[in-house]
Amino acid sequence: MEDIEDLLVGSGGAPAGFRLPITASVSVNLKKKKKNNQQSDLNNHSSIQPSLTASHSPKIPGTQTIYMKTFGCSHNQSDSEYMAGQLSAFGYVLGDNPEEADLWLINTCTVKSPSQSAMETLISKCRSAKKPLVVAGCVPQGSRNLKELEGVSIVGVQQIDRVVEVVEETLKGHEVRLLNRKTLPALDLPKVRKNKFIEILPINVGCLGACTYCKTKHARGHLGSYTVDSLVERVRTVITDGVKEIWLSSEDTGAYGRDIGVNLPILLKAIVAELPSDGSTMLRIGMTNPPYILEHLKDIADVLCHPCVYSFLHVPVQSGSDAVLAAMNREYTVGEFRAVVDTLTELVPGMQIATDIICGFPGETDEDFAQTVSLIDEYKLPQVHISQFYPRPGTPAARMKKVLSTVVKKRSRELTNVFESLTPYNGMEGKVERIWITEIATDGIHLVGHTKGYVQVLVIGPETMLGTSAIVKITSVGRWSVFGEVIETLNQINGNTASSERKSNGNKCTPCSNLEEACACSREPEPCACEMTSCGVQNALEESTISLPKNENRSLIRWLLRKRKNQSQKRMENGIVSEIKENQEWSRGRMREWTLVDRDRALVGGMVVSLLTVAVLLSFFVSGSMMAN
């Protein structure tokens, strides 16, 4: 199967994201029925004539419903949002029900075997349902000859700006494959965000590494960076759109710009300069490997200290053993990882670091694994993503001698137990923090916010608080997140900063004199960033986000239900001791009520009964006397 060439031969093609009519000079494969149980020759190309196109188009293009499923990282999620935006712009409906959809679009991930297995299962279901199918992402780009992809239309990772063409041709019954790498897709394509308050911004594709276990390099390729100007312009646009969090995403954020003569600190400083000074839009720096940030640690620390940047970084270590890291070809040592963590922790108040671990890499000994456990136990990082080694076809690690699967599983369980025994959020209870709220928790009850250090805080409040910032008091801590009570929400009215309704205790965010305090303040004492933010709901800036929504009965009902359920959960969380105390208080109360009230009532009742008895006896006595007379 060859790739489709540009639609307008010799003209340079269409602008990114725009659809052009298929001309007769374009060769694609028609999906033909098998004859005599023989596979039709996929190399026989048939030119599409206008009449043929019409006969294969029972519906007007752009009127169908498309079901999308995304696997993998935030970069994949961003690609899906761009594809969804283009399809939506051309009239296609994006549906959640695969059975009712006219076409399925699956965006795949090749990092782990389970993700690819889930993709293969979904493809099988799609075939069984006899639905047209388009597969995008890293799996087809890195393994284009995969058996499961036979007869399936494909969109490569650098061809997402042509997804409309592929979908339309697939709906007509054609098989289309766009896998040739070209220039990077434009950043200003239409986009439908999964969360309207979060912009996932890819700053580069590919990487400079050559890890022996990684399949993503096969798909995403060598490093390709967007220019600083194009990224800054995108930031300006999304802030205007009401985005409240910008996530910088790539296969290796730290390697950004090395192919175009710039570096990550240059980009970060340019982006930070565009963020609103009131802290209403926050920046989150994406995953970075240790080798490419070692020389920029101080500059990156300065950016992480900025009040509009989360003090959080994802730095994968993968193993606590230098021998294993060498076998992985990770290009750094455990000591260099320690240098990254130690430096950032020292220079950035409240710094939080997440990492990744692969258990059971080929050649890993018990001693190697013990070093990994020791590293995790020493640093007590709040987030550790633990996975078992999965050999990816075509990678050097797939040819290495494997550790027994039983040993791999045992090590994974052991490390998980160590990690889950840690208590990274102890000491936060009672603190006052500023949080940025962007989504509803999976329990459907709480809203999810994050502190400056990106600690997840669960709070109760109406959905109108989404996209806003709030001052909260941490009421309790859990293993994976903390719970908070809203003291006040921060609002912006007609460009002037104002705070919304406050609790009766009158708590305020005090001027920040210590960066380790809860609120995300700049180094200057005035003005305090805690007292400044903007409401993320357009056309409703004049309403306090803590107030119950007007003319939104559905939101009000959901808010009340969440609050009621939360109160029930809180009563349950008090535990057996609280229940015993409650029962004891109830018993003592009932005793007091008996001594003060029930005793008198019983006495009066007894007297009444006695009087009635005497009356009855007298009645019988009188009646008997009359009868005797």
Side-chain angles (χ1 to χ4, degrees), residues 567-601:
Q567 290 171 343
S568 299
Q569 287 183 341
K570 282 185 177 180
R571 286 195 296 270
M572 294 176 65
E573 289 174 357
N574 286 336
I576 298 174
V577 174
S578 298
E579 184 177 348
I580 292 173
K581 289 182 179 179
E582 185 177 332
N583 289 336
Q584 290 173 345
E585 290 294 332
W586 181 85
S587 299
R588 287 195 291 268
R590 293 300 296 168
M591 289 295 292
R592 285 193 295 270
E593 292 174 5
W594 169 257
T595 57
L596 296 176
V597 180
D598 292 352
R599 184 177 59 190
D600 295 338
R601 290 179 179 175

Side-chain angles (χ1 to χ4, degrees), residues 460-526:
I460 292 293
E463 291 181 20
T464 48
M465 288 183 67
L466 291 171
T468 68
S469 182
I471 305 300
V472 301
K473 180 178 181 180
I474 305 303
T475 56
S476 62
V477 300
R479 177 59 188 82
W480 313 108
S481 56
V482 302
F483 294 85
E485 179 182 357
V486 176
I487 296 174
E488 64 173 317
T489 54
L490 304 177
N491 213 355
Q492 193 175 48
I493 305 174
N494 296 328
N496 297 320
T497 301
S499 60
S500 69
E501 178 182 334
R502 298 181 179 182
K503 296 284 184 177
S504 58
N505 60 12
N507 286 343
K508 300 179 181 180
C509 177
T510 56
C512 304
S513 58
N514 186 343
L515 284 175
E516 295 187 13
E517 290 295 330
C519 52
C521 301
S522 61
R523 293 185 181 273
E524 296 76 18
E526 296 292 341

Side-chain angles (χ1 to χ4, degrees), residues 187 201-203 226-235 256 267:
L187 292 172
L201 179 59
I203 62 174
Y226 287 95
T227 65
V228 172
D229 290 344
S230 65
L231 291 166
V232 168
E233 182 59 34
R234 180 65 182 174
V235 167
Y256 168 80
L267 172 65

